[in-house]
Amino acid sequence: MVLSLMVFLIANLAFSQGTFNLRLDPMILTKTVSQGDKFSYNIFLENSDDFNAVGVEVLVADVVQDIEGSYSVAQAGSTAYSAAKWIKVSPAKFTIQPASGQIITVEVTVPRGTVGGRYAAIVFRITPPSQKPEVLPEAMGIAAQFQFQLPSFLELIVEAGRKRIEAYATEIEVQKISDIPSLVEIKETLGTDANVFSVTVVNKSNIHIEVTGELTIKTMEGRTVSKIPLGAGKGIILPEAKVKIRSITLQQLPPGTYSAKGVIYYGGHRPAIIETQFMVEEGGAKISQTKASEAPMFYIDPGNIELKTLPGTFRSTTVEITNRGEQAANITTFIYPLEYDAYGEIVPVEERTKAPEWVEVNPGSFQLKPNQSRRIRITANPPKEALGGYYFDLIFSSASETIKTEFGANLLVYVGSDDTIIRKLTADFHLIQLAEQGLDVDLVVQNTGTIHLLPSITIGVERRIPPKEEESGIILPATTQRLASASYTEETPILPGTERFFGVTIPIKLEPGEYDIVARIDFGANEPILLKSTIKIEGGEGK
């Protein structure tokens, strides 16, 4: 049994103590805006108490995030990513009668010259109507009679300029659940033998990130014992926040020494990777506590490197690596072919072949002091028979006695001229099947060109309407009616000579009849790929 744990928001949708019973909607709003935009939205605050009125004062505050991922409010303007000064609320003070509600209008003005993420909280502070609010001089200073507050959070993404996506895995811990006070309630359910794996993620981006994680446990001989998710699906981490992503498992390992490797996906060019060792003592009831010190943080610029050359010629470029951490780091460079499996997941380096000798990284090892940068030279001298795109994974690794971290960049060496670039895909339906949740549709797409592609795919379900003769004698031709569709864009490239599976479940209940399953694949060529397959539903079963 595995329990993924990633708490990013602790705030009650309703609370009830004494005479207060309030609900608000929305609890959180995320919106993409442009510089200079002005918009407004409404928050609905409901008093569910049938007998007591409630006095409310509305404040605008900043949002901060603690190590457990929980949001809380801070003084307006106290954070670097505050949107509090952009916001006006109306009304700012009111009383909600019993079994009634109040609409609060939030007006937001986005100034020019800002980029990235900005955040704020609309805070509702409550006092019995018999008391008068007493505002103190400080921005967030309210008299002590305000015992309750309920926040609604606003997350803004300002689309302008360059978004900087930068995140690091800085700690990895292996603990018994009984050693973590914040998990005491979960311990009461799972027992004291549950094991907790935690990876601390620091967001250095200028925008919030959505993270997912995966943990792999191996023996010292390299055999995989377990592979489990870290966190509960996608979680939000605010800029400059440090959050623990946890997974809890009841699996008990035999005595021995193991490695725990955390892989964090956050939208960067390459996931953040951190690894440590831990020991299970006799009886399997005790794990030797492993808490690694804060790991080095490397920033690689650019994260995607493209190098064009002709067969038999020499070309070079550079990439800059910066130590963002607070300690010196000894770094070793590696280069591997970049490989994705059929589902777009990156293949572990231990399962890949070596990079060809005509691609080199220099120097192979070096030291970086805190805040120090160094340029690394990449050279390519492809043979005369080489042609097309060649893809590589540049890895910069730093290891100590207790911890190992990896960072990297993607390298494309295109051998040939612009005239040799061929963008070509082939595709077909792999599976069309009725499922409990709807209709499962799988596509297989193969890149038969010479360069990577990122296709956009739309899959639709259309009901066939047969010809119909009207009373006037006019015969209406056969048509189709679009019932449902699903669209998405692939985030990881399909490399030349590889194939990718795409699967989607369309939540639809199909009545008996004939249907066309259609797909459109756009990938940068002049013409998209169009696919169609017909199915017939008889008695609720697809044929």
Side-chain angles (χ1 to χ4, degrees), residues 79 197 388 435 469 508:
T79 67
F197 296 87
E469 183 176 357
I508 187 173

Side-chain angles (χ1 to χ4, degrees), residues 16-17 46 56 77 79 81 83 96 99 139 157 178 212 238 332 337 395 449 456 489 509:
S16 179
Q17 182 172 340
E46 178 189 5
V56 179
T79 67
Y81 297 93
I96 309 180
I157 304 170
S178 55
T212 58
L238 297 179
T332 304
I395 296 176
S456 297
T489 299
K509 183 178 180 180

Side-chain angles (χ1 to χ4, degrees), residues 177-191:
I177 194 171
S178 55
D179 296 329
I180 306 175
S182 62
L183 301 183
V184 61
E185 293 184 3
I186 299 177
K187 181 188 69 174
E188 298 299 325
T189 302
L190 300 181

Side-chain angles (χ1 to χ4, degrees), residues 73-88:
V73 299
Q75 182 175 329
S78 62
T79 67
Y81 297 93
S82 172
K85 293 182 179 179
W86 304 356
I87 296 172
K88 293 182 179 180

Side-chain angles (χ1 to χ4, degrees), residues 88 129 165 179 218 234 237 312 338 344 371 382 412 426 504 512 537 539:
K88 293 182 179 180
I165 305 297
D179 296 329
K218 291 186 177 183
K234 287 187 177 182
I237 302 182
L338 180 62
N371 298 316
L412 161 61
T426 61
V504 63
I537 306 297

Side-chain angles (χ1 to χ4, degrees), residues 434-508:
L434 285 176
E436 184 177 347
Q437 298 82 7
L439 185 69
D440 290 343
V441 181
D442 292 354
L443 293 176
V444 58
V445 179
Q446 185 172 18
N447 185 349
T448 56
T450 61
I451 199 166
H452 65 283
L453 296 169
L454 285 167
S456 297
I457 300 174
T458 299
I459 298 174
V461 180
E462 298 178 347
R463 179 164 192 153
R464 285 192 167 193
I465 302 174
K468 180 181 179 181
E469 183 176 357
E470 295 187 333
E471 294 181 357
S472 61
I474 298 176
I475 299 178
L476 299 177
T479 60
T480 60
Q481 178 188 12
R482 177 67 62 91
L483 301 179
S485 62
S487 300
Y488 58 92
T489 299
E490 177 62 2
E491 297 179 353
T492 55
I494 306 176
L495 303 185
T498 66
E499 65 180 17
R500 186 71 51 84
F501 285 96
F502 297 93
V504 63
T505 297
I506 300 177
I508 187 173

